[in-house]
Structure formats: structure tokens, C-alpha cells
């Protein structure tokens, strides 16, 4: 009764189940191609303009060079003598740092000696250089004297495709492997040094910079709304404070004539730069708006002031930067709103509610949520999510209209209107093949086959795989198992479908033992053919599934579907080579003399609570099949083997490189010493740190099987893949 109700629900929601994954996939593909990037960046700009105005940052003072100042001095660039007088007047106010955002690679007479004297006597003065060339600009050298005193930073700013500045640079990586700091970071560090804050690697990621409480994650090429952006050097997303009115400012003339308050610049950062139109240092930013007014450009010195303010505010005030989700969470976010758009409109399909309502209300909620997240420092996708939301709504309405029209047109010739209406909302008239039954599922997989296949030519891989599958097929057929599918090097076998027998679980366990015993003949032939030795893991589970013909009218397959099928695959993933793990359900259902070599408690993905699995070494009764017991004695190494390793999540590494050492070796495993607390049954990718063995083909794959009772830092690992070079090395040891 419950299953019939569930089937009816699935049929009633068929439009959502079809629409959501389809629309989500299309939107994600569109996003990955970069077609939505310009719209997403425009949404970013809108959010910058709409968010609440931030207070003025009085820690930064801009000495702006306006058109009036240029007319007053009657020349540009100003002479070295005038610049020396300007810097001396600023020095008298005792600022923490002075940023000279003016290129000064060549002297401007008169006063070269006077300026040189100021450069030598001002340790907190930072000059600029242009480190990277572009299509319309070239590299510009810094002042020679400041370069010699390491008082130079780069003032380069990354341009987006639309010519706007949305990112800033902290460090620049040059072609000669030289790393230089940006002017903005140098000045911020001068200010923070007085607060007792210096550069240090972040505890969360040593590749990130941390200053005080603030961590500055590196910009990646797909962060936020970007797709394959140029992410070279150390970039961060620029969290603007605002236009020039968010900073204290004075004119060049007022400073030269000492018309500013005596302590205006004390313990502050002073930036000297041009704001005049004729000096051409005006750039497009998110504050540029060309919709209802002429495009507004921001002086470069103001952009640098924003980045300096961001660094200082993050370190001292815990002001958030602009962060983005990982691609997985962004895709999940898009998927969730696609579900909402489809569900909302599917529920309203019989209520005659205007279509526009099903778009405007969820869309408004989405924009409000995204804007609220942006205010607190999170840039989450807006345009692709809106597209998924609206696309699902449109698709649902089209699906409803098309399905109803086709169904009524086709069936109306044979059935009454009442029957047709009932058929549209119920699967009873179009019932597909499938029934509920108890089945034992066996899943096998070769350990480390991907690594092996990478080292062999394709022809040898096919030969290796075909001989293995042929041997396993003979064993499975002998035990009356049904091979449901070959999954590369894996096999899915059913016992109990399509024909159900009382001893299904017993034959499944016996088959697994026989398969492991057959691996001896497989490997014997592999050695004769100079092919790698293979090891196989097997997982078994018993439970109720849906078995039947699944597919379309043109192509169908007899298969089993259900959580117990997935659980069998999950159990198999915990095995090491030569091991058989069965669930408690299978052990109870077999009700036979089993040789149990061990018992484990695992927490498979998708399972609510931990389950117990048994390590099977043999089966008695009429089968009398037993695996040989191996004494895997551990040899303590005279000299530890240093290694680096990462923990694998599924087939992917989590990215964190950890350090350890192999302190013992056995025929099939080793003893790993590490300060990390490793979880049992976790998978590792290990590399030996030994000269020529630092090669990709020297990767070792292993599984953590036990924690040492003598030393909490030692873990017994079981090798799943050993390259030939490593095997030779281990045998020599």
C-alpha cells in the first residue's frame, strides 16, 4: 500500500523530476562556457552600488593632484624640487607611511639632489613601478634610489574584460621568479606594524596571507561570477569602501603652502596621486554607471586607497572581504532554486494563478537573499540561479501544456475524458515492469585499476581486463549468479533476481570466496604475460529492492534499483585487495558456518547510522571454501622513508598535503607515522620523497586499516596500488 502511494506521488511529480536536472545541467553548462559572466559581473556592480554606504576611513589621506594644482605649478610632471618640498612638508606631520603613486623613473630638473636627499632620509616612503606590460602600456621602472632601499611596490591593477577594476594585487610573481609586493600591501604593512601586526601564513591555509584576524584568500579563476579569469600572482576581490568622498583628502597646493592642520597626517597613511582629467589616471570600476548618466571613472589613487583600506580594516576591524563558494556549493545553490521554481509552478498548475506570479515572487526572494549575503561578504551566483529558477518555471508550464495536450489527443480516441484525466495523474494505466523482492547484491572491483591502466598501453589493459572478467564470469555462472553489469573493472552480480532461491545469500558468499581463490590463477597468467598482479575487493549486501525491466520502449534492461544496491557498492569501497566484506543482513540471511576474520563498524555515505560488516575468510556447509590465511609480518626499517600524502574523498584528493614517514614494511602494507589523526578505512595517496621517485608513476595508494596500539602516531596501512619502481625499492629494503 505504501509503495503504491509512493509510485503515485512520483508519477504526479514527474514534471519536476524531469525538469529540475535538465534545466540545472543546461544552466551550469552555460555558466561554464562563460556566457553568463558579463551579466553576473553587472549584478556584482549593482550590489556594490546598492549596499549601505560605509563610514569614512580617516586612517588614509589622499593628496590629490587636481587640474587646479597643475595650473598652479605651470608644469607636469612637477619638478624634483617641488616634489621634494611636498614630501618634506608631509614628513613633518609624521605619518606612518607615504605612498607616491606617481611614476618617477627619470629625473625632472631642477632639484634632483634635493629629491635624492629626501628619498634617502624617508624610510616610510614607498614609490611605484609598473611590473607587467599590457596591450596599451609597458613596464615602468621605479625610482632608482627607492629601489635600492627596497621601498618600491607595484601599482598594477588587473583589468576585467569590460575594462573595470574589481580585483587587487597583494603580491606579483614576475617571470624571473621574483616576487614583489604591491604598493598597497607595503603601505598597509607599514600601518599595521605600528599595531603589532605582521605578515604570517594563515592557519586555515598556509598559502594564504593572514594579518591579525584577517585572512586573505587567493582569487581563483572561477571565483564568484568569473569563469576562467586570469588569476596569476596573488589577487583578491576588491571590496570597495566607496568613492573618493570615503577618504580624507587635501590638494597638492594646500600641502605645499602648509594650509593644512598641523596634525592632520600624524600616524596615518598618505597617498599622493592624480585626480585631474588631463593626467589620464582614471579607470572604470563597479561605480561606473552608464545607464542613466555618463560613465563615471575613478582615479587610480582612489582605487589604491580602497585596497589599502580593505587590508587594514580586515586586519584590525574584522571587516569582511568578498568571498565565494566552491563550485560544488554554487551548483547545489543553482539546483535548489531550480527545484523551487519547478515545484512552485507545478503546485500552482491547477489553481489558475498567473505565470508571472510564479516567477516574480521566487525571483524577488532570490535577489533579496543574494543581496543580504553580499552585504555580509559572500558573492553567490545571481544570474545563473535566476536563469535556473525562471527556466524551470517556463519548462514546467511547457511540460504541463504539452503533456496534457499529447495525452488527451492520443488517448482521447479510446478512453473517456474521465479516464484520461485520471491517467494523467496516476501511473496505474502505464505501469512499468518492476516488483519488490529480496535480493543479495555482490559488487567487486579491482584495487588501483585506474593507476594500473595509466601505466599500460590500451591493448594490454584490454587483455588484462578480458582475462580477469572471463575468469570471474565462469565462477559467477557456476554459483548461479546473474551478472547485471560490467562497470569497467567492476562487476555487479544479483542473487535472487530474476529467479529467487532460498540459498541466494549463501551462494553469493560462496561465489565471493571462489572469486578470490580464482584470482590466484588470474595472477599466475598475468605473471607469465608480464602483466601486473591484480587484487580484488568484494562487498555483499542483502535487502529488498525493485527488480524488473527498466528503460524505454526502445531499450530496457532487467536490473535492480534501491538503497540496498547502493549499500553493497559502499561496502565494497571499504575493502582492500583480497578482502570480502558482507553486511549483517547477508550474514543473518545466510545462516551458515562462516569464517569471520574480523568485524568493522562503518558509516557509508547516505546511511543514517553506522552499520556492522564482517570480514569473511571462508564458508562451510556444502561449499567448504576458505581463503588462505597470510601472516603479514611487519619489518621495522633501519631508516625511515619520508613521504607526503593526501586523503582521498571518493576518487578525489582533498587538496591538503600532509607529511609522514614509513617506519615499517610488510608484504602488503606498511606502518605510517604521522601527527595527523587518520580515520580508519580512509584512503590515502602517498608519494615517497626520495629523489628520482618523485614521479607521478611512483604514487602509492593505500587504505588505513588499524591504529597502532604502541604509538598513537603510527597507523597500519594496506597498499592497494604499488608501482613497479616502488615494489623494487621495498624488496631491496
Amino acid at each position: 500500500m505504501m509503495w503504491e502511494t509512493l509510485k503515485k506521488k512520483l508519477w504526479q511529480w514527474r514534471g519536476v523530476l524531469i525538469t529540475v536536472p535538465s534545466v540545472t545541467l543546461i544552466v551550469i553548462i552555460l555558466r561554464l562556457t562563460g556566457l553568463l559572466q558579463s551579466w553576473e559581473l553587472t549584478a556584482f556592480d549593482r550590489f556594490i552600488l546598492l549596499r549601505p554606504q560605509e563610514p569614512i576611513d580617516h586612517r588614509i589621506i589622499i593628496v590629490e593632484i587636481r587640474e587646479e594644482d597643475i595650473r598652479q605649478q605651470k608644469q607636469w610632471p612637477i619638478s624634483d624640487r617641488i616634489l621634494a618640498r611636498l614630501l618634506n612638508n608631509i614628513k613633518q606631520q609624521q605619518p606612518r607611511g607615504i605612498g607616491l603613486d606617481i611614476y618617477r623613473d627619470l629625473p625632472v630638473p631642477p632639484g634632483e639632489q634635493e629629491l635624492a636627499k629626501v628619498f634617502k632620509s624617508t624610510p616610510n616612503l614607498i614609490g611605484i613601478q609598473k611590473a607587467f606590460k599590457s596591450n596599451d602600456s609597458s613596464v615602468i621602472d621605479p625610482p632608482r634610489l627607492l629601489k635600492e632601499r627596497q621601498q618600491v611596490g607595484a601599482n598594477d591593477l588587473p583589468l576585467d574584460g569590460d575594462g573595470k577594476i574589481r580585483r587587487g594585487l597583494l603580491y606579483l610573481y614576475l617571470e624571473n621568479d621574483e616576487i614583489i609586493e604591491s604598493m598597497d600591501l607595503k603601505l598597509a604593512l607599514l600601518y599595521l606594524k605600528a599595531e603589532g601586526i605582521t605578515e604570517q601564513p594563515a592557519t586555515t591555509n598556509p598559502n594564504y596571507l593572514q594579518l591579525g584576524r584577517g585572512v586573505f584568500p587567493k582569487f581563483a579563476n572561477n571565483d564568484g561570477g568569473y569563469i576562467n579569469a586570469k588569476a596569476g600572482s596573488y589577487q583578491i576581490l576588491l571590496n570597495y569602501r566607496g568613492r573618493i568622498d570615503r577618504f580624507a583628502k587635501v590638494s597638492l597646493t594646500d600641502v605645499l603652502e602648509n594650509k593644512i592642520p598641523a596634525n592632520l597626517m600624524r600616524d596615518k597613511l598618505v597617498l599622493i596621486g592624480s585626480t585631474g582629467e588631463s593626467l589620464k589616471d582614471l579607470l572604470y570600476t563597479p561605480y561606473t554607471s552608464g545607464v542613466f548618466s555618463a560613465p563615471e571613472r575613478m582615479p587610480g589613487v582612489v582605487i589604491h586607497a580602497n585596497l589599502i583600506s580593505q587590508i587594514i580594516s580586515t586586519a584590525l576591524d574584522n571587516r569582511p572581504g568578498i568571498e565565494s563558494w566552491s563550485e560544488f556549493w554554487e551548483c547545489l545553490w543553482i539546483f535548489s532554486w531550480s527545484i523551487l521554481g519547478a515545484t512552485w509552478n507545478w503546485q500552482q498548475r491547477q489553481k489558475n494563478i498567473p505565470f508571472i506570479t510564479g516567477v516574480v515572487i521566487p525571483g524577488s526572494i532570490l535577489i533579496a537573499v543574494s543581496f543580504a549575503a553580499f552585504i555580509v561578504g559572500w558573492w553567490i551566483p545571481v544570474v545563473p540561479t535566476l536563469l535556473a529558477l525562471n527556466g524551470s518555471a517556463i519548462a514546467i508550464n511547457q511540460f504541463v501544456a504539452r503533456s496534457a495536450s499529447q495525452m488527451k489527443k492520443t488517448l482521447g480516441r479510446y478512453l473517456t475524458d474521465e479516464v484520461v484525466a485520471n491517467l494523467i495523474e496516476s501511473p496505474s494505466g502505464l505501469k512499468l515492469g518492476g516488483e519488490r523482492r529480496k535480493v543479495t547484491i555482490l559488487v567487486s572491483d579491482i584495487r588501483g585499476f585506474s593507476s594500473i591502466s595509466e601505466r599500460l598501453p590500451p591493448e594490454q589493459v584490454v587483455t588484462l581486463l578480458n582475462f580477469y572478467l572471463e575468469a570471474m564470469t565462469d565462477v559467477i555462472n557456476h554459483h548461479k549468479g546473474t551478472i547485471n553489469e560490467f562497470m569497467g573493472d567492476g562487476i555487479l552480480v544479483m542473487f535472487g533476481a530474476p529467479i529467487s532461491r532460498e540459498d541466494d545469500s549463501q551462494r553469493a558468499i560462496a561465489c565471493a570466496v571462489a572469486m578470490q581463490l580464482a584470482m590466484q590463477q588470474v595472477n599466475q597468467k598475468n605473471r607469465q604475460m608480464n602483466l601486473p598482479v591484480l587484487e580484488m575487493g568484494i562487498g555483499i549486501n542483502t535487502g529488498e529492492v525493485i527488480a524488473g525491466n527498466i528503460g524505454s520502449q526502445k531499450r530496457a534492461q532487467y536490473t535492480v534499483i534501491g538503497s540496498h544496491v547502493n549499500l553493497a557498492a559502499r561496502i565494497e569501497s571499504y575493502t582492500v585487495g583480497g578482502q570480502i566484506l558482507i553486511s549483517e543482513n547477508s550474514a543473518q540471511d545466510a545462516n551458515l558456518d562462516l569464517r569471520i576474520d574480523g568485524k568493522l563498524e562503518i558509516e557509508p555515505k547516505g546511511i543514517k547510522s553506522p552499520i556492522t560488516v564482517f570480514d569473511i575468510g571462508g564458508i562451510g556447509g556444502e561449499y567448504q571454501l576458505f581463503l588462505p590465511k597470510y601472516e603479514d609480518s611487519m619489518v621495522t626499517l633501519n631508516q625511515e622513508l619520508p613521504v607526503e600524502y593526501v586523503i582521498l574523498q571518493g576518487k578525489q584528493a582533498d587538496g591538503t598535503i600532509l607529511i609522514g614517514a614509513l617506519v615499517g614494511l610488510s608484504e602488503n602494507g606498511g606502518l605510517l607515522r604521522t601527527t595527523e589523526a587518520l580515520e580508519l578505512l580512509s584512503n590515502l595517496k602517498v608519494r615517497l620523497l626520495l629523489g628520482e621517485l618523485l614521479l607521478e608513476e611512483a604514487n602509492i595508494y593505500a587504505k588505513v586499516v588499524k591504529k597502532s596500539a604502541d604509538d598513537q602516531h603510527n597507523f597500519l596501512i594496506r597498499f592497494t596500488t604499488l608501482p613497479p619502481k616502488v615494489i623494487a625499492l621495498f624488496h631491496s629494503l
Side-chain angles (χ1 to χ4, degrees):
M1 185 65 182
M2 183 179 296
W3 171 239
E4 292 298 325
T5 302
L6 179 59
K7 286 197 295 183
K8 185 175 181 180
K9 287 292 183 182
L10 291 175
W11 179 261
Q12 290 174 347
W13 287 91
R14 66 196 182 280
V16 174
L17 298 176
I18 295 171
T19 297
V20 169
S22 302
V23 171
T24 302
L25 181 62
I26 292 171
V27 169
I28 290 175
I29 291 175
L30 285 174
R31 184 166 188 256
L32 293 177
T33 60
L35 295 176
L36 306 180
Q37 176 176 285
S38 60
W39 293 355
E40 188 67 27
L41 293 180
T42 299
F44 175 89
D45 297 344
R46 293 294 111 191
F47 282 178
I48 288 283
L49 291 169
L50 292 173
R51 66 183 181 177
Q53 193 173 61
E54 299 204 31
I56 296 174
D57 193 341
H58 293 284
R59 295 168 295 202
I60 299 172
I61 296 177
I62 298 175
V63 177
E64 53 175 336
I65 303 172
R66 307 168 301 177
E67 293 296 332
E68 296 88 338
D69 300 311
I70 298 172
R71 288 195 294 269
Q72 180 81 11
Q73 299 303 320
K74 299 180 181 179
Q75 74 171 81
W76 185 261
I78 57 176
S79 68
D80 288 350
R81 178 168 294 158
I82 297 299
L83 182 55
R85 182 153 61 92
L86 173 69
L87 293 173
N88 274 322
N89 288 352
I90 294 173
K91 280 176 59 179
Q92 292 175 6
Q93 296 234 345
Q94 299 180 5
R96 291 190 186 180
I98 305 171
L100 183 60
D101 190 24
I102 302 172
Y103 293 120
R104 210 66 175 188
D105 53 328
L106 297 172
V108 182
E112 184 177 357
Q113 295 302 319
E114 297 174 40
L115 184 59
K117 183 178 179 181
V118 174
F119 282 173
K120 292 178 180 178
S121 63
T122 313
N124 61 344
L125 172 64
I126 304 299
I128 60 168
Q129 70 178 89
K130 193 173 190 307
F132 295 138
K133 63 180 179 180
S134 60
N135 294 332
D136 58 354
S137 63
S138 59
V139 173
I140 301 177
D141 292 330
R144 180 181 57 83
L145 285 174
L146 293 182
K147 178 69 173 179
E148 292 174 356
R149 302 170 65 82
Q150 297 184 347
Q151 294 176 222
V152 172
N155 73 332
D156 299 70
L157 291 168
L159 278 176
D160 285 338
D162 56 2
K164 292 184 179 181
I165 305 292
R166 299 183 181 90
R167 291 167 284 149
L169 285 161
L170 299 184
Y171 299 95
L172 288 77
Y173 306 150
L174 306 186
E175 292 181 355
N176 60 358
D177 293 332
E178 181 184 1
I179 300 176
I180 61 173
E181 294 174 324
S182 67
M183 175 191 69
D184 311 307
L185 179 60
K186 272 189 170 290
L187 287 170
L189 290 175
L190 283 175
Y191 188 92
L192 294 173
K193 186 177 181 181
E195 304 291 334
I197 295 175
T198 56
E199 297 169 282
Q200 60 181 348
T203 55
T204 54
N205 188 329
N207 294 321
Y208 293 167
L209 170 68
Q210 180 166 345
L211 295 171
R213 293 176 291 175
V215 176
F216 299 86
K218 276 186 180 179
F219 171 78
N221 57 359
N222 286 336
D223 277 357
Y226 288 96
I227 299 296
N228 293 326
K230 293 182 180 179
S233 296
Y234 196 131
Q235 302 180 33
I236 62 172
L237 287 169
L238 221 167
N239 189 14
Y240 282 90
R241 180 173 290 273
R243 299 177 175 88
I244 195 171
D245 61 351
R246 296 296 90 195
F247 304 94
K249 58 181 179 176
V250 292
S251 70
L252 173 76
T253 302
D254 287 345
V255 177
L256 286 173
E257 297 178 358
N258 284 320
K259 293 182 178 180
I260 60 175
N263 294 318
L264 176 66
M265 301 176 179
R266 182 182 293 275
D267 290 330
K268 297 177 182 178
L269 292 178
V270 179
L271 276 175
I272 306 169
S274 62
T275 59
E277 178 74 26
S278 64
L279 300 182
K280 305 298 183 184
D281 189 19
L282 298 172
L283 301 165
Y284 293 105
T285 69
Y287 292 92
T288 300
S289 175
V291 180
F292 301 109
S293 60
E296 172 192 349
R297 293 175 297 169
M298 182 178 288
V301 68
V302 180
I303 297 176
H304 290 298
N306 272 280
L307 182 50
I308 295 169
S309 175
Q310 177 179 345
I311 297 170
I312 295 174
S313 299
T314 302
L316 294 179
D317 308 331
N318 207 25
R319 177 176 179 249
I322 297 178
E323 298 185 59
S324 58
W325 285 342
S326 67
E327 293 180 8
F328 169 79
W329 287 109
E330 289 182 347
C331 290
L332 185 60
W333 177 253
I334 295 170
F335 178 70
S336 301
W337 284 91
S338 180
I339 292 176
L340 178 62
T343 304
W344 179 287
N345 285 273
W346 185 260
Q347 287 180 322
Q348 309 302 323
R349 68 191 187 281
Q350 294 177 340
K351 299 181 181 179
N352 295 322
I353 295 178
F355 167 71
I356 192 67
T357 304
V359 173
V360 172
I361 294 178
S364 300
I365 295 173
L366 168 60
I367 293 173
V369 170
S370 301
F371 182 58
F374 189 81
I375 289 175
V376 297
W378 286 97
W379 182 10
I380 57 180
V382 180
V383 173
T385 315
L386 271 175
L387 196 58
L389 175 69
N390 295 335
S392 293
I394 294 171
I396 283 294
N397 281 273
Q398 291 295 319
F399 180 87
V400 170
R402 184 179 179 86
S403 297
S405 176
Q406 288 184 344
M407 188 75 77
K408 290 179 180 179
K409 182 178 179 180
T410 302
L411 300 179
R413 293 177 292 176
Y414 311 102
L415 305 173
T416 64
D417 292 340
E418 292 79 6
V419 173
V420 171
N422 181 65
L423 192 57
I424 291 175
E425 295 301 328
S426 171
S428 58
L430 298 174
K431 183 178 181 180
L432 297 175
E435 60 179 328
R436 192 181 190 92
R437 61 167 63 193
K438 183 175 72 173
V439 174
T440 298
I441 305 297
L442 181 153
V443 178
S444 72
D445 189 69
I446 297 176
R447 303 292 86 182
F449 186 76
S450 298
S451 177
I452 294 172
S453 62
E454 288 176 358
R455 302 197 305 268
L456 298 178
E459 296 80 7
Q460 286 189 330
V461 173
V462 172
T463 300
L464 186 74
L465 193 57
N466 283 343
F467 181 69
Y468 159 76
L469 293 177
E470 181 180 0
M472 295 303 107
T473 300
D474 291 342
V475 175
I476 294 167
N477 290 338
H478 177 74
H479 289 85
K480 297 182 177 60
T482 301
I483 297 176
N484 177 253
E485 188 176 4
F486 289 127
M487 304 168 292
D489 60 308
I491 309 174
L492 176 63
V493 187
M494 305 178 295
F495 293 84
I499 300 175
S500 178
R501 299 179 176 89
E502 292 183 358
D503 61 346
D504 285 329
S505 56
Q506 295 179 5
R507 284 183 293 106
I509 298 171
C511 179
V513 178
M515 288 170 68
Q516 293 290 15
L517 291 172
M519 290 299 293
Q520 298 175 11
Q521 288 73 37
V522 171
N523 285 323
Q524 183 178 355
K525 185 169 183 179
N526 286 344
R527 293 187 186 96
Q528 294 172 356
M529 299 173 64
N530 200 27
L531 293 173
V533 172
L534 302 180
E535 286 190 310
M536 174 179 61
I538 299 177
I540 297 176
N541 180 46
T542 303
E544 286 193 334
V545 300
I546 299 301
N549 291 304
I550 309 297
S552 67
Q553 294 296 328
K554 293 183 179 180
R555 182 176 177 83
Q557 178 185 10
Y558 187 89
T559 187
V560 287
I561 298 175
S563 61
H564 285 285
V565 181
N566 299 332
L567 181 56
R570 297 278 189 267
I571 292 173
E572 183 277 324
S573 69
Y574 286 95
T575 62
V576 296
Q579 189 175 39
I580 303 169
L581 293 180
I582 71 171
S583 68
E584 197 169 12
N585 291 339
S586 296
Q588 292 175 352
D589 192 65
N591 192 25
L592 194 66
D593 180 25
L594 301 175
R595 194 187 87 195
I596 298 176
D597 293 341
K599 184 168 68 172
L600 302 171
E601 188 172 81
I602 62 174
E603 298 185 36
K605 181 180 178 182
I607 305 300
K608 294 181 179 179
S609 56
I611 65 170
T612 300
V613 294
F614 300 97
D615 186 355
I616 299 301
I619 181 171
E622 62 181 282
Y623 303 101
Q624 295 300 312
L625 293 170
F626 299 93
L627 299 177
K629 290 187 176 181
Y630 294 104
E631 287 295 330
D632 202 20
S633 58
M634 187 69 62
V635 176
T636 302
L637 298 178
N638 294 328
Q639 184 176 356
E640 298 180 356
L641 294 178
V643 299
E644 63 181 21
Y645 65 94
V646 293
I647 300 173
L648 300 177
Q649 302 294 337
K651 300 291 185 183
Q652 303 294 326
D654 70 354
T656 303
I657 298 177
L658 306 170
I659 301 299
L662 288 175
V663 298
L665 288 175
S666 67
E667 184 66 21
N668 297 307
L671 195 62
L672 174 66
R673 175 172 295 166
T674 177
T675 58
E676 298 293 324
L678 299 178
E679 294 183 6
L680 294 185
L681 302 180
S682 57
N683 295 307
L684 308 178
K685 180 181 179 182
V686 184
R687 293 182 68 196
L688 297 174
L689 301 178
L690 295 174
E692 64 176 3
L693 285 175
L694 276 173
L695 303 169
E696 281 301 319
E697 62 264 25
N699 286 332
I700 302 170
Y701 291 87
K703 184 184 290 286
V704 179
V705 295
K706 189 177 181 181
K707 185 175 182 180
S708 174
D710 301 326
D711 190 333
Q712 63 177 352
H713 297 305
N714 286 352
F715 295 86
L716 182 64
I717 60 175
R718 176 68 155 78
F719 300 134
T720 57
T721 302
L722 282 177
K725 285 187 176 183
V726 178
I727 293 175
L729 173 66
F730 285 178
H731 279 297
S732 70
L733 296 175

